[in-house]
Amino acid sequence: MTVRHSLRLAFVVIAVSVALATAAWALTFPALTGRVVDEANILNGATRSALTEKLAALETKTTNQLVVVTLKSLQGTSIEDYGYQLGRAWGIGQKGKNNGVLLIVAPTERKVRIEVGYGLEGTLTDALSRVIIETSIIPRFRANDFPGGITRGADSIIQVLSGDAELFKQQTPTPQPLRKTTSDNNWFAPLFVLFWFGILAFVVFTIIRAPRHLGRGGNTWFVPVPTGRSDSWSSGSSGGFSDSGGFSGGGGDFGGGGSSGSW
């Protein structure tokens, strides 16, 4: 095998590996089948029904879409990265207005986030989102009251989105500084990159150093490459409860606005 052929084969291997690695990193999302998507199964039926009514009333009054979602897992990524990608995949909010908001709870990682669409970043600011998380949600989560924390958080968001931000500020005490966490969920990606670079380096080195006569006589080179997860940007259901009724996003966009917390 000539050096040119070796380099071509190495390029193909690298291209395929990068594609598979990208697929393996892709996140999967629960199906958007309602205004409350309880994948983690931490809400009772009465709470889900009450939340659904409130969120529907908010959209009727303001056209703003607020969706509550609980997750089984963040799949090794941060809640910030998961949040804006979920908002885009679901298209929460109206196209052009980008007036969508997500209240995301990941009980396994003990993370909560308010993800705000582009069009509402001036109304539901990062600072206000932080106040809601620190005063309305986290104290109840620390008492193991998930329904109460989510309901109170949703009520606070609705109050702000309904035009009562000043009243909300007056009624809410100043939050304490955010508690820093001692661990991070982003350990998977760096290790995965190092793993793939190690494999690629071994393959390229083996091809270049192989005896040239092995490429003659019609012999075929075969490099086994492990497959990754290929359901990129999937919205297939992965369990949990969702309220039904034909609800869907309107094509709204997100850019990472909002705030996060942990308990």
Side-chain angles (χ1 to χ4, degrees):
M1 175 178 285
T2 65
V3 173
R4 174 180 292 183
H5 290 161
S6 298
L7 292 176
R8 285 180 178 175
L9 181 56
F11 177 79
V12 171
V13 171
I14 292 173
V16 172
S17 299
V18 169
L20 292 175
T22 300
W25 289 335
L27 300 173
T28 58
F29 304 125
L32 176 64
T33 54
R35 292 179 170 86
V36 178
V37 180
D38 186 21
E39 185 188 45
N41 282 318
I42 59 175
L43 299 175
N44 55 53
T47 300
R48 291 191 292 257
S49 297
L51 282 171
T52 298
E53 292 180 5
K54 292 178 181 180
L55 304 185
L58 171 69
E59 185 173 358
T60 299
K61 178 181 178 180
T62 66
T63 74
N64 299 325
Q65 282 190 337
L66 170 59
V67 173
V68 172
V69 54
T70 72
L71 302 170
K72 289 182 178 178
S73 170
L74 292 172
Q75 302 170 37
T77 190
S78 67
I79 195 168
E80 292 81 11
D81 185 53
Y82 193 102
Y84 88 86
Q85 292 196 52
L86 177 62
R88 289 181 173 181
W90 279 355
I92 302 302
Q94 296 180 342
K95 187 174 183 179
K97 288 186 176 182
N98 300 316
N99 54 344
V101 177
L102 292 173
L103 174 54
I104 307 169
V105 179
T108 302
E109 292 86 357
R110 304 176 71 87
K111 299 286 186 180
V112 58
R113 178 165 178 79
I114 297 174
E115 190 72 41
V116 183
Y118 281 119
L120 292 177
E121 290 180 355
T123 301
L124 185 58
T125 62
D126 294 358
L128 277 175
S129 297
R130 177 201 163 198
V131 171
I132 292 172
I133 288 173
E134 287 292 297
T135 61
S136 299
I137 300 176
I138 286 182
R140 291 164 178 81
F141 281 7
R142 288 175 179 164
N144 205 32
D145 180 11
F146 288 107
I150 291 174
T151 297
R152 187 68 185 91
D155 288 342
S156 299
I157 295 172
I158 290 171
Q159 185 177 16
V160 173
L161 295 181
S162 298
D164 296 327
E166 290 303 320
L167 179 60
F168 171 77
K169 293 177 184 178
Q170 295 171 9
Q171 296 173 340
T172 307
T174 302
Q176 298 299 316
L178 290 171
R179 188 174 72 176
K180 296 182 179 179
T181 58
T182 57
S183 62
D184 191 6
N185 293 321
N186 291 323
W187 54 268
F188 177 75
L191 291 179
F192 196 81
V193 171
L194 291 176
F195 171 77
W196 273 102
F197 271 111
I199 291 180
L200 295 177
F202 174 78
V203 170
V204 173
F205 179 80
T206 302
I207 292 173
I208 294 177
R209 294 296 302 272
R212 296 178 182 271
H213 69 275
L214 290 179
R216 300 171 184 171
N219 290 326
T220 301
W221 285 82
F222 173 74
V223 180
V225 181
T227 58
R229 189 169 60 227
S230 59
D231 47 358
S232 172
W233 291 86
S234 170
S235 59
S237 176
S238 54
F241 173 88
S242 302
D243 67 279
S244 58
F247 174 78
S248 64
D253 198 5
F254 291 76
S259 186
S260 306
S262 60
W263 68 94

